[in-house]
Every structure is written in structure tokens, then in C-alpha cells.
Amino acid sequence: MTNDIEIKDKAAWDAAEKVADYEHGWSSDIETDFAPKGLNEDTVRFISAKKNEPEWMLEWRLKAFAMWKTMEAPDWAKLNVPPIDYQDAYYYAAPKAKPKLSSLDEVDPEILRVYEKLGIPIAEQKLLAGVEGGEVGGLPQRRVAVDAVFDSVSVATTFRAELERAGVIFRSISEAIKEYPDLVRKYLGKIVPMHDNYFATLNCAVFSDGTFVYIPEGVRCPMELSTYFRINAENTGQFERTLIVADKGSYVSYLEGCTAPMRDENQLHAAVVELVALDDAEIKYSTVQNWYPGDAEGKGGIYNFVTKRALCQGRNSKVSWTQVETGSAVTWKYPSCVLNGENSVGEFYSVAVTNNYQQADTGTKMIHNGKGSRSTIVSKGISAGHSNNTYRGLVRVAPNAEGVRNFTQCDSLLLGSLSGAHTVPYIEVRNPSAQIEHEATTSKISDDQMFYAMARGLNAEEAVALIVNGFAKEVLQQLPMEFAVEAQKLLGISLEGSVG
Amino acid sequence: MLQITNLHANVGDKPILKGLTLSLNAGEIHAIMGPNGAGKSTLGYVLSGRPGYEVTEGSVTFNGQDLLALEPHERAAAGLFLGFQYPVEIPGVSNVQFLREALNAQRKYRGEAPLSGGEFLKVAREQAGALGMDMDMLKRPVNVGFSGGEKKRNEMVQMGIIDPALAILDETDSGLDIDALRTVGDGINRIMRKPDKAVLLITHYQRLLDYVKPDFVHVLDGGRITRTGGAELALELERDGYKELAA
Ligand SMILES: Nc1ncnc2c1ncn2[C@@H]1O[C@H](COP(=O)(O)OP(=O)(O)OP(=O)(O)O)[C@@H](O)[C@H]1O
Ligand SMILES: [Mg+2]
């Protein structure tokens, strides 16, 4: 028992060690239940029926679908995406399992094996397996409650009982729709409206599962919450939906991780994440995104079109986004904060790595509507191979928002001479009292640094990983410990083959 | 231990080393002196395998091994340490992290078990203490914001932690204040003056040699060794300069 913390650390290292050469690139043999291929109204009805949804939910989906048909895919990002055939994909794939799972024991053992192979949350193997940890050396052991989403369906949520005692609701969103309809209806689609953008609207129509979290007034969530997303079935789109509501004076830290197996075809991932923080509430949302990036020639990989937005509704509310983006063939993602509350705070810490033929267009929007609201943006872009990495960020200050402050720092690091780094800041200030600072740098790893590290015993790849980790330090240190360890390893791994 | 024979090397297209021959035995400390631009740092870089420094002729063996066939990190693992004339800054990477990863990479290459965090810190604390460096500095990013003298002292802490068989110290004395010079001199003796080790000390001045007494002093000029003597040669050079010597 005394060396449990050691073991956990080691498990994280081991897991990360295994990731070499895209360790997640296996697909497992699980019987899968598909919706018919293609996308039409029947698909939407099928998904809703599969989930026994109430009528209002089906209507909401159908409205979104009708809307989506009138919309066009956005093309303003610095991305080169071939047209996507939305009819050539499955929109619902569920592992065939017992219909109701009350404990992990009932989960298909093959699925458990899948999670075993997954890496990090995996540092929490024991926890995922529902073994409640005790005290170690007088210190409370760190615990993480995990919700696991497999293809389209949430298959397991751990620590439910203990969370419930604290009043925390941690559920798959499909359960929440049935069990807490009023709470869900109050916020669903209120932060990211149905018509927000092409991919968000599509998500409204066909979202399959995801996570719902509610932290009641004054409660500090007793453990970190985590969702693990995995696309496994072939030709499947994954459209998850996450909604987190932090009531007055509450606090929660939420981690999101993802993987997908190697496939020659591109797979679509279009998630929507909505966060709401009321007065004095704080949400810390961390992501380590490791979707399959495609091979060295740019074949295959996930198209990751994600809409993430937080509403800092209450005074003194705070939302902090931290993301480490290493995967996906294409990333289109701008986790944002709408700062309505007086003195509310938005933060965005991002590391985006692109290698080979990956493309990333990512950044944030800080919308300052509240007086005295503040935001911090730290973006670290690392581009290698033939990849393209763009930071796109908006800072907007409304006319009535007095005393707003923003600090933005965008640093780009280039490896080799074939990759591209771009910074596209938009600043719209309509109140003269605002203090806005923007700093941007672009650099290369210097030969001096490389040689210095190598002369001390690191090989070229280790040297690059070390220097890149130093470059990304400010962001990595925002992550919870276990994630930081995995993220460090991932940075090195995603840059393999980029030197020499 | 180290046998350099008729070494020719280019930097870019420019020939810098032009037939350098030198041999070091275990237990010996050799000083290399010579005018600015003579090729002293180039020699250190060539021996450590810096990319861009191309050997065009000659050979180097290190403990019987063909040194020139090894990658820089392999040379480090084989026991070669270069103390840099201009130590490099690595933002965001603490000295502790840098050295632990470097040391464990070397150990892994040699098939030895890695040092745990605790074991490493013990060694690091000892070496930093012996060289009068604050542990807080070890936690700071590598050389970032260090003064010139602090950087040099940090090189010696690194040497102490890595504990190499052969150290090439490129002007480690320049930039050190009077007290630091003594501390560093003592450090070199403590870490490197052992029967199974050797040092190649590149310097411009006698003052470091007051503390670290060389067994041999060589003059490197125009890309080759032009004169070799005992410790007294350094004193002679200090008095007369290189011009006198050439005449
Ligand atoms: N990249 C380069 N391209 C061309 N010449 C170079 C390059 N790097 C070094 N040199 C030249 O090589 C010669 C030897 O340089 P080196 O740094 O080895 O001299 P040194 O003996 O260490 O001098 P000092 O005492 O000033 O440190 C110098 O003339 C220098 O200008
Ligand atoms: Mg020099």
C-alpha cells in the first residue's frame, strides 16, 4: 500500500512508453451494433430511439438536422480539408453489451482490455476498475472518476456512489437527459447555440453520447473527473456532447483524453462541449488529444472539428482551458470563454504539435462582456515535417465592459524548414479602458541547444523532446500531474522522425 | 586513453585543424594554449562530434575505440565530457531535469540502471555543494539568466554529476572571479585528478594552472601543435607571448 503512488507513477510512464509508434493503433474485436450507414432523418430518429429519449430531445435533434441541411461547411480556417461525404459514414455504433451496466463487472471484458491498453486514464487502472483507494502515508490518494465513451456509447462511470454523496452528478449525457431533464434542458444548447456552426449543428442532430456534470452550490468536487473517448469501429463518426454546470461557489477539475486506431480512411469527430460557471464557481478543463494523426504520408487520421465554449455567467467565476493537442490529421478547435460575469476570469493554455502532414487551426475566443473581466492566453505551437500549425484567437471587449484586461502570448517553434507556423490574432476593443497585451515569437530549435544536449548524452530525438518540453513548460505545468507526465512523453513521441 | 593522429578538420569549407597530433594517457592533465582563432574550441567540438565540423583526414581513438565513428551522445556515454566555452541556455528545462535525463540516457546506453529521482538529487546536491552552487540554481532553467561565471561553475557541477573519464574544458576559467577560480580549480582536481581519468584544459592564462597543475602544456597555433613542454611552458608563454615563441 505504501508504494501505491510510486506504482501509479510508474504505470503512467509505462503506458506512455508503450505509445511509441502509435501504440493506440490497434482496433479490438468487439461486436458492434451500427445504425444504418448514411445520414437522414431516419438516422436521427434511430439514434434517439436507441437511447429511449424523451420526445423533446428527438424534436430538438430533428430541428438541428433540418437546420444543418441548409448550412455549408466553414472554409475560413487555414486548413486544406477534402470534401467529406457525410453519407459514407456510420453515425451510431455501440458495443453490443448488456443494456444496463451498474458496475464494471458487467462490462464486456474485451472492452476492459481495450481500456487497459489505453494509456493514461489507465494510470488509474485500479480506479477504473472501481477499487477505491485509501490513504497513503496520511495523504489522501489522488483519485479520478472516469466515464468511458466507446464509439458512440458511454460504457462505464466509476465512483458514482461517492460522487453522489457529495451531491455531484457525473453521468453519461443520455442518462442525464432521462434522469435530470430539467437541468439538462436549462443549459443544453444555451452556451453553444444550435445554429452556432456547421459541425455544432450536426452534433446537435446526431450526438450519440458524452458526459454530464453538475456540481452543486458550494461543493468542491472530491476528485478529478475524467472522460475517455475512443473511436473504435470503422467508418464511424463520433459526436460526443459534454455539459458541465458548476453552481455557485463550486469547483471541478475535468480531464478529457482520446484515442482512435489506425485507419486508412479519415474518420470524423465533431464534439460539442459546453461549460457554465455561476457566481464564484471555477471549472478547470484539461484535454490531452491524441487521436490518430494519420501516417507519415498523410494517409488516414481523424478530422477533429470541435466546438468548446464556456460561459462565465456569475461574478468572479473562472474557467481555465488547458489543451495538449498532438493527434488528428486536421484539428479545428477554439475553446472559448464568454465572460459575462463581473470580474470573471478566462484562461486558455495550449500546446499544439503538428508533424508530417498534420494540420491544426486552433486558438481561443475571449469575449469580455463583464466589467473587470480578465483573460490570459498562452499558446505554444510546434510544427515539424510538412505540417501547418495556426493560432487563431479573438479578444473582444464590449462597450460596457470597463476595466477589462487580457494578456496573450503566442510562441511558435519550427522544426525543419518545410513546416509552417501562423498567428492570426483578432482584437476588437470597444471600451477604451481595456488593457490588451499581445506578444508573439517564432523560433527554431538552435543547433547550439541541440549540440549542448547531445554532448551531455541525449540522442537527437531525446534532445528535441527535451527542448520542446521546455518550450511548452508554461502550459504543461497547468495540467494535473498524471496528465502532465503523459503529455510530456506524447510531445516527444509525436515529433519522432522529425529530426536528422 | 586519447590518441589524436594527424587530425585535419574543416568548419564549413574552411580548414581549421591541419595535422594535429596529440596523445593523453590516463592520469594526465594537459593544458592547451594558443592565440585566438587558433582552433582550440574547434578541437573540442571535433572531438565531441559537433555537426558541421568535418574531419577530412586523420584518426582519433578513445580507449581503443574509433571516437570519430560515434554520435555525440555515444561519445558522452563512452566517457567524454566537453565543458563549453559558451554554455547554452535551454529555456523551460531545469538543470535538474536536464542532467537527470542526460545522465540516465548515458546509463541506459551503457546498460546501467537509471538513477531514481532521490538517488540523482543526492548526487546533484553533493556536487552543487562542493562547487558552492545553490540548489535553487539547479532548479532554474539551464543557464537561463546565469551570469558568465555562474554558467562556468554550472559546467563544473555538470561534470561532477556526470563523472566522465575524459574532460575537455574549454576556457572554463574565463569569466570566473578570484574566489570562483579557486573553487573551480579545486573541483577539477577533486573530480578529475584520478589515475583512470584525463583532462584537456584549454586556457589562455596561467592563473588556472596555479590550481590545476598540468603535466604537459601544448601550444596550438595554425591548426596544429607547435610546441609541447611541461608546466613551465605556460609561465614562459605568459611572460613572452606567442609572437616571441614563433620567432
Ligand atoms: N562556422 C564557421 N565558419 C567559418 N569559420 C569558422 C566557423 N566557426 C569557427 N570558424 C573559425 O575557425 C577558427 C578557429 O576558431 P576556434 O573557435 O576554434 O578558435 P579558438 O582557438 O577557440 O579561439 P579563442 O581563443 O578565441 O576561443 C577561427 O578563425 C574562426 O573564425
Ligand atoms: Mg575558443
Side-chain angles (χ1 to χ4, degrees), chain A residues 318-378:
Chain A
K318 178 175 176 184
V319 168
S320 181
W321 298 100
T322 303
Q323 59 172 25
V324 175
E325 304 279 316
T326 65
S328 296
V330 175
T331 299
W332 181 97
K333 180 180 172 189
Y334 316 90
S336 303
C337 295
V338 179
L339 300 163
N340 284 355
E342 208 175 305
N343 297 326
S344 57
V345 176
E347 294 178 340
F348 175 73
Y349 295 95
S350 170
V351 178
V353 183
T354 52
N355 194 4
N356 297 319
Y357 288 88
Q358 280 177 276
Q359 308 176 63
D361 196 297
T362 185
T364 185
K365 289 186 254 182
M366 294 291 174
I367 312 294
H368 291 267
N369 297 324
K371 289 198 175 92
S373 55
R374 304 188 302 280
S375 61
T376 303
I377 299 171
V378 177

Coordinates of all heavy atoms in Angstrom, one line a residue, chain A residues 318-378:
Chain A
K318 N -14.7 31.5 -12.9 CA -13.5 31.3 -13.6 C -13.5 30.0 -14.4 O -13.9 29.0 -13.9 CB -12.3 31.3 -12.6 CG -11.0 31.0 -13.2 CD -9.9 31.1 -12.2 CE -8.5 30.7 -12.8 NZ -7.4 30.7 -11.9
V319 N -13.0 30.1 -15.7 CA -12.9 28.8 -16.5 C -11.5 28.8 -17.1 O -11.0 29.8 -17.6 CB -13.9 28.7 -17.6 CG1 -13.6 27.6 -18.5 CG2 -15.3 28.5 -17.0
S320 N -10.8 27.7 -16.9 CA -9.5 27.6 -17.4 C -9.4 26.4 -18.4 O -9.7 25.3 -18.0 CB -8.6 27.4 -16.2 OG -7.3 27.3 -16.7
W321 N -9.1 26.6 -19.6 CA -8.9 25.5 -20.6 C -7.4 25.2 -20.7 O -6.7 26.1 -21.0 CB -9.4 26.0 -22.0 CG -10.8 26.3 -22.2 CD1 -11.4 27.6 -22.3 CD2 -11.9 25.4 -22.4 NE1 -12.7 27.5 -22.5 CE2 -13.1 26.2 -22.6 CE3 -12.1 24.1 -22.5 CZ2 -14.4 25.7 -22.8 CZ3 -13.3 23.5 -22.7 CH2 -14.4 24.3 -22.9
T322 N -7.1 24.0 -20.6 CA -5.7 23.6 -20.9 C -5.8 22.5 -21.9 O -6.5 21.5 -21.7 CB -5.0 23.1 -19.7 OG1 -5.0 24.1 -18.7 CG2 -3.5 22.8 -20.0
Q323 N -5.0 22.6 -23.0 CA -5.1 21.6 -24.0 C -3.7 21.2 -24.5 O -2.9 22.1 -24.7 CB -6.0 21.9 -25.2 CG -5.6 23.2 -25.9 CD -6.4 23.4 -27.2 OE1 -7.5 23.0 -27.3 NE2 -5.8 24.2 -28.2
V324 N -3.5 19.9 -24.7 CA -2.3 19.5 -25.4 C -2.8 18.7 -26.6 O -3.4 17.6 -26.5 CB -1.4 18.6 -24.5 CG1 -0.3 18.0 -25.2 CG2 -1.0 19.4 -23.3
E325 N -2.6 19.2 -27.8 CA -3.1 18.7 -29.0 C -2.0 18.1 -29.8 O -1.1 18.8 -30.3 CB -3.8 19.8 -29.8 CG -4.8 20.5 -29.1 CD -6.2 19.8 -29.1 OE1 -6.5 19.3 -30.2 OE2 -6.8 19.7 -28.0
T326 N -1.9 16.7 -29.8 CA -0.8 16.1 -30.6 C -1.4 15.3 -31.7 O -0.6 14.9 -32.6 CB 0.1 15.2 -29.7 OG1 -0.7 14.1 -29.3 CG2 0.6 15.9 -28.5
G327 N -2.6 14.9 -31.7 CA -3.1 13.9 -32.7 C -4.0 14.6 -33.7 O -3.9 15.8 -33.9
S328 N -4.7 13.8 -34.4 CA -5.7 14.2 -35.5 C -4.9 14.6 -36.8 O -3.9 15.3 -36.7 CB -6.6 15.4 -35.1 OG -7.4 14.9 -34.1
A329 N -5.5 14.3 -37.9 CA -5.0 14.8 -39.2 C -5.3 16.2 -39.3 O -4.5 17.0 -39.8 CB -5.6 14.0 -40.3
V330 N -6.5 16.6 -38.9 CA -6.9 18.0 -39.0 C -7.6 18.4 -37.7 O -8.4 17.7 -37.2 CB -8.0 18.2 -40.1 CG1 -8.5 19.6 -40.1 CG2 -7.4 17.9 -41.5
T331 N -7.1 19.5 -37.1 CA -7.7 20.0 -35.9 C -8.3 21.4 -36.1 O -7.6 22.2 -36.7 CB -6.7 20.1 -34.8 OG1 -6.2 18.7 -34.5 CG2 -7.3 20.6 -33.5
W332 N -9.5 21.5 -35.7 CA -10.3 22.8 -35.9 C -11.0 23.0 -34.6 O -11.9 22.4 -34.3 CB -11.3 22.6 -37.0 CG -12.2 23.7 -37.5 CD1 -11.9 24.5 -38.5 CD2 -13.4 24.1 -36.9 NE1 -13.0 25.4 -38.6 CE2 -13.9 25.1 -37.7 CE3 -14.2 23.6 -35.9 CZ2 -15.2 25.7 -37.4 CZ3 -15.4 24.2 -35.6 CH2 -15.9 25.3 -36.4
K333 N -10.4 23.9 -33.7 CA -10.8 23.9 -32.4 C -10.5 25.2 -31.7 O -9.3 25.6 -31.7 CB -10.1 22.7 -31.7 CG -10.4 22.5 -30.3 CD -9.7 21.3 -29.7 CE -9.8 21.3 -28.2 NZ -9.0 20.3 -27.6
Y334 N -11.5 25.8 -31.0 CA -11.3 27.1 -30.4 C -12.0 27.2 -29.0 O -13.0 27.8 -28.9 CB -11.7 28.2 -31.3 CG -11.3 28.0 -32.7 CD1 -12.1 27.3 -33.6 CD2 -10.0 28.4 -33.2 CE1 -11.7 27.0 -34.9 CE2 -9.6 28.2 -34.5 CZ -10.4 27.4 -35.3 OH -10.0 27.1 -36.6
P335 N -11.5 26.5 -28.0 CA -12.1 26.6 -26.7 C -12.2 28.0 -26.2 O -11.2 28.7 -26.2 CB -11.2 25.7 -25.8 CG -10.4 24.9 -26.8 CD -10.2 25.7 -28.0
S336 N -13.4 28.5 -25.9 CA -13.6 29.9 -25.7 C -14.2 30.2 -24.4 O -14.8 29.3 -23.8 CB -14.5 30.4 -26.8 OG -13.9 30.2 -28.1
C337 N -14.2 31.4 -24.0 CA -14.8 31.9 -22.8 C -15.7 33.1 -23.1 O -15.2 34.1 -23.6 CB -13.8 32.2 -21.7 SG -12.8 30.9 -21.1
V338 N -16.9 33.0 -22.7 CA -17.8 34.2 -22.8 C -17.9 34.7 -21.3 O -18.4 34.1 -20.5 CB -19.2 33.8 -23.3 CG1 -20.1 35.1 -23.3 CG2 -19.1 33.2 -24.6
L339 N -17.2 35.9 -21.1 CA -17.0 36.4 -19.8 C -18.1 37.4 -19.5 O -17.9 38.6 -19.6 CB -15.6 37.0 -19.6 CG -14.5 35.9 -19.9 CD1 -13.2 36.6 -20.2 CD2 -14.3 35.0 -18.7
N340 N -19.3 36.9 -19.1 CA -20.4 37.8 -18.8 C -20.3 38.4 -17.3 O -20.7 39.5 -17.1 CB -21.7 37.1 -19.0 CG -22.1 37.0 -20.4 OD1 -21.3 37.5 -21.3 ND2 -23.1 36.3 -20.8
G341 N -19.8 37.5 -16.4 CA -19.8 37.9 -15.0 C -18.8 39.0 -14.7 O -17.7 39.1 -15.3
E342 N -19.2 39.8 -13.8 CA -18.3 40.9 -13.3 C -17.1 40.2 -12.7 O -17.2 39.2 -12.0 CB -19.0 41.7 -12.3 CG -18.5 43.2 -12.2 CD -19.3 44.0 -11.2 OE1 -20.5 44.0 -11.4 OE2 -18.7 44.5 -10.3
N343 N -15.9 40.7 -13.1 CA -14.6 40.1 -12.5 C -14.4 38.7 -12.9 O -13.8 38.0 -12.1 CB -14.5 40.4 -11.0 CG -14.4 41.8 -10.7 OD1 -13.9 42.6 -11.4 ND2 -15.0 42.2 -9.6
S344 N -15.1 38.2 -13.9 CA -14.9 36.8 -14.2 C -13.5 36.6 -14.9 O -13.0 37.6 -15.4 CB -16.0 36.2 -15.1 OG -16.2 37.0 -16.2
V345 N -13.0 35.4 -15.0 CA -11.7 35.1 -15.5 C -11.7 34.0 -16.5 O -12.3 32.9 -16.2 CB -10.7 34.7 -14.3 CG1 -9.4 34.4 -14.9 CG2 -10.6 35.9 -13.3
G346 N -11.1 34.2 -17.6 CA -11.0 33.1 -18.6 C -9.5 32.9 -18.9 O -8.7 33.8 -18.9
E347 N -9.1 31.6 -19.0 CA -7.7 31.2 -19.3 C -7.7 30.2 -20.4 O -8.5 29.3 -20.5 CB -7.0 30.7 -18.0 CG -6.9 31.7 -16.9 CD -6.2 31.0 -15.7 OE1 -6.2 29.8 -15.5 OE2 -5.7 31.8 -14.9
F348 N -6.7 30.3 -21.2 CA -6.5 29.3 -22.3 C -5.0 29.0 -22.4 O -4.2 29.9 -22.6 CB -7.0 29.9 -23.6 CG -6.8 29.0 -24.8 CD1 -7.5 27.9 -25.0 CD2 -5.8 29.4 -25.7 CE1 -7.3 27.1 -26.1 CE2 -5.6 28.6 -26.9 CZ -6.3 27.4 -27.0
Y349 N -4.7 27.8 -22.1 CA -3.3 27.3 -22.2 C -3.2 26.2 -23.2 O -3.9 25.2 -23.0 CB -2.8 26.8 -20.8 CG -2.7 27.9 -19.8 CD1 -3.7 28.0 -18.9 CD2 -1.6 28.7 -19.7 CE1 -3.7 29.0 -17.9 CE2 -1.5 29.7 -18.7 CZ -2.6 29.8 -17.8 OH -2.5 30.8 -16.8
S350 N -2.4 26.4 -24.2 CA -2.5 25.4 -25.3 C -1.1 25.0 -25.8 O -0.2 25.9 -26.0 CB -3.3 26.0 -26.5 OG -3.2 25.2 -27.6
V351 N -0.9 23.7 -26.0 CA 0.2 23.3 -26.8 C -0.3 22.5 -28.0 O -1.1 21.6 -27.8 CB 1.1 22.3 -26.0 CG1 2.3 21.8 -26.9 CG2 1.6 22.9 -24.8
A352 N 0.0 22.9 -29.2 CA -0.4 22.1 -30.3 C 0.8 21.7 -31.1 O 1.7 22.5 -31.5 CB -1.3 23.0 -31.2
V353 N 0.9 20.4 -31.3 CA 2.1 19.9 -32.1 C 1.6 19.3 -33.4 O 0.6 18.6 -33.4 CB 2.7 18.7 -31.3 CG1 3.9 18.2 -32.1 CG2 3.1 19.1 -29.9
T354 N 2.2 19.7 -34.5 CA 1.9 19.0 -35.7 C 3.1 18.5 -36.4 O 4.2 19.1 -36.3 CB 1.2 20.0 -36.7 OG1 2.0 21.2 -36.8 CG2 -0.2 20.4 -36.2
N355 N 3.0 17.3 -37.0 CA 4.2 16.7 -37.6 C 3.7 16.1 -38.9 O 2.4 16.0 -39.2 CB 4.7 15.6 -36.7 CG 6.1 15.1 -37.1 OD1 6.7 15.6 -38.1 ND2 6.7 14.1 -36.5
N356 N 4.6 15.6 -39.8 CA 4.2 15.0 -41.0 C 3.3 15.9 -41.8 O 3.6 17.1 -42.1 CB 3.6 13.6 -40.8 CG 4.7 12.7 -40.2 OD1 5.8 12.7 -40.6 ND2 4.3 11.9 -39.2
Y357 N 2.0 15.4 -42.1 CA 1.1 16.3 -42.9 C -0.1 16.7 -42.0 O -1.1 17.1 -42.6 CB 0.6 15.5 -44.1 CG 1.7 15.4 -45.2 CD1 2.6 14.3 -45.1 CD2 1.8 16.3 -46.2 CE1 3.6 14.2 -46.1 CE2 2.8 16.3 -47.1 CZ 3.7 15.2 -47.1 OH 4.7 15.1 -48.0
Q358 N 0.1 16.7 -40.7 CA -1.0 17.2 -39.9 C -1.3 18.7 -40.1 O -0.4 19.5 -40.4 CB -0.6 17.0 -38.4 CG -0.8 15.6 -37.9 CD -0.3 15.5 -36.4 OE1 0.9 15.3 -36.2 NE2 -1.2 15.7 -35.5
Q359 N -2.5 19.1 -39.9 CA -2.9 20.5 -39.9 C -3.7 20.8 -38.7 O -4.6 20.1 -38.3 CB -3.8 20.8 -41.1 CG -3.3 20.3 -42.4 CD -4.3 20.5 -43.5 OE1 -4.7 21.7 -43.8 NE2 -4.9 19.5 -44.1
A360 N -3.3 21.9 -38.0 CA -4.0 22.4 -36.9 C -4.3 23.9 -37.0 O -3.5 24.7 -37.4 CB -3.3 22.1 -35.6
D361 N -5.6 24.2 -36.8 CA -6.0 25.6 -36.7 C -6.7 25.7 -35.4 O -7.8 25.2 -35.2 CB -6.9 25.9 -37.9 CG -7.1 27.4 -38.1 OD1 -7.6 28.1 -37.2 OD2 -6.7 27.9 -39.2
T362 N -6.0 26.2 -34.4 CA -6.6 26.2 -33.1 C -6.3 27.5 -32.3 O -5.3 28.2 -32.7 CB -6.2 25.0 -32.3 OG1 -6.9 24.9 -31.1 CG2 -4.7 24.9 -32.1
G363 N -7.1 27.8 -31.4 CA -6.9 29.0 -30.6 C -8.1 29.2 -29.7 O -8.6 28.2 -29.2
T364 N -8.4 30.4 -29.4 CA -9.5 30.7 -28.4 C -10.2 32.0 -28.8 O -9.8 32.8 -29.6 CB -8.9 30.7 -27.0 OG1 -10.0 30.8 -26.1 CG2 -8.0 31.9 -26.8
K365 N -11.3 32.2 -28.1 CA -12.0 33.4 -28.1 C -12.3 33.8 -26.7 O -12.8 33.1 -25.9 CB -13.4 33.3 -28.9 CG -13.2 33.1 -30.4 CD -14.6 33.2 -31.1 CE -15.0 31.7 -31.5 NZ -16.2 31.7 -32.2
M366 N -11.9 35.1 -26.4 CA -12.2 35.6 -25.1 C -13.2 36.8 -25.3 O -12.8 37.8 -25.9 CB -11.0 36.1 -24.3 CG -10.0 34.9 -24.0 SD -10.7 33.9 -22.7 CE -9.5 32.6 -22.6
I367 N -14.4 36.6 -24.9 CA -15.4 37.6 -25.2 C -15.7 38.3 -23.8 O -16.4 37.7 -22.9 CB -16.8 37.0 -25.7 CG1 -16.5 36.0 -26.8 CG2 -17.8 38.0 -26.1 CD1 -15.9 36.6 -28.1
H368 N -15.2 39.5 -23.7 CA -15.4 40.2 -22.4 C -16.6 41.1 -22.4 O -16.6 42.2 -23.0 CB -14.1 41.1 -22.2 CG -12.9 40.4 -22.0 ND1 -12.4 40.1 -20.7 CD2 -12.0 39.8 -22.8 CE1 -11.3 39.4 -20.8 NE2 -11.0 39.3 -22.1
N369 N -17.7 40.6 -21.8 CA -18.9 41.4 -21.6 C -19.0 42.0 -20.2 O -19.7 43.0 -20.0 CB -20.1 40.6 -21.9 CG -20.1 40.1 -23.4 OD1 -19.7 40.8 -24.3 ND2 -20.6 38.9 -23.6
G370 N -18.3 41.3 -19.3 CA -18.4 41.7 -17.8 C -17.4 42.7 -17.5 O -16.2 42.7 -17.9
K371 N -17.8 43.6 -16.6 CA -16.8 44.6 -16.0 C -15.7 43.9 -15.3 O -15.9 43.0 -14.6 CB -17.5 45.5 -15.0 CG -18.5 46.5 -15.7 CD -18.9 47.6 -14.7 CE -19.7 48.7 -15.4 NZ -21.2 48.4 -15.2
G372 N -14.5 44.4 -15.5 CA -13.4 43.9 -14.7 C -13.0 42.4 -15.1 O -12.3 41.8 -14.3
S373 N -13.5 41.9 -16.2 CA -13.2 40.5 -16.5 C -11.8 40.5 -17.1 O -11.3 41.5 -17.7 CB -14.2 40.0 -17.5 OG -14.3 40.8 -18.7
R374 N -11.1 39.4 -16.8 CA -9.7 39.3 -17.2 C -9.5 37.9 -18.0 O -10.1 36.9 -17.7 CB -8.8 39.2 -16.0 CG -8.9 40.4 -15.1 CD -7.9 40.4 -14.0 NE -7.9 39.2 -13.1 CZ -8.7 39.0 -12.2 NH1 -9.7 39.8 -11.9 NH2 -8.6 37.9 -11.4
S375 N -8.6 38.0 -18.9 CA -8.2 36.7 -19.6 C -6.8 36.6 -19.9 O -6.1 37.6 -20.0 CB -9.0 36.6 -20.9 OG -8.7 37.6 -21.8
T376 N -6.3 35.3 -19.9 CA -4.9 35.0 -20.2 C -4.9 34.0 -21.3 O -5.6 33.0 -21.2 CB -4.2 34.5 -18.9 OG1 -4.3 35.4 -17.9 CG2 -2.7 34.2 -19.2
I377 N -4.1 34.2 -22.3 CA -4.0 33.2 -23.4 C -2.5 32.9 -23.5 O -1.7 33.8 -23.7 CB -4.5 33.8 -24.7 CG1 -6.0 34.2 -24.6 CG2 -4.3 32.8 -25.9 CD1 -6.5 34.9 -25.8
V378 N -2.1 31.6 -23.4 CA -0.8 31.2 -23.7 C -0.8 30.1 -24.7 O -1.4 29.0 -24.4 CB 0.0 30.8 -22.4 CG1 1.4 30.3 -22.7 CG2 0.0 31.9 -21.4

